Amino acid sequence: PPGELRQASPQSLLLPEHLGEAMASARQHLVAKAATELVGTFFLCLTIACTKSSAIPAIAIGCALMVLIYAGGHVSGAHYNPAVTVAIFVRGQGKIR
């Protein structure tokens, strides 16, 4: 009834319902980014390991990286090499989200 006080839980005071949903969505997006980076880094390292004795490892690694960037770039930004991420932050072009 109107005018009646209802008991509020500590969670409802700290996290409104819409904020909880936004946090769940952000968590799912972060998991997708991390999974994409993990799979991409694995395949990049696998390509590097398999082409050590090849005559043209740079072309194979470059082609593999190109495919990985097209496949996962829209999800995670495709920073498969940590040096790329550091360089982007040093230049001031990156944002932590």
Side-chain angles (χ1 to χ4, degrees):
E4 184 178 325
L5 295 176
R6 59 174 236 222
Q7 181 93 14
S9 69
Q11 289 84 9
S12 68
L13 294 174
L14 296 176
L15 289 175
E17 289 181 22
H18 62 85
L19 185 58
E21 293 171 6
M23 287 178 60
S25 175
R27 187 175 299 123
Q28 288 175 344
H29 190 64
L30 181 63
V31 169
K33 282 183 169 187
T36 302
E37 289 290 321
L38 179 71
V39 169
T41 302
F42 169 77
F43 279 109
L44 181 60
C45 291
L46 180 68
T47 304
I48 292 169
C50 291
T51 59
K52 278 189 173 182
S53 61
S54 175
I56 49 172
I59 293 175
I61 294 167
C63 288
L65 189 57
M66 177 187 63
V67 169
L68 291 169
I69 289 171
Y70 276 109
H74 66 284
V75 177
S76 67
H79 297 176
Y80 298 120
N81 184 345
V84 173
T85 305
V86 171
I88 288 173
F89 282 113
V90 167
R91 290 187 61 208
Q93 301 292 321
K95 295 179 184 173
I96 297 175
R97 293 184 242 166

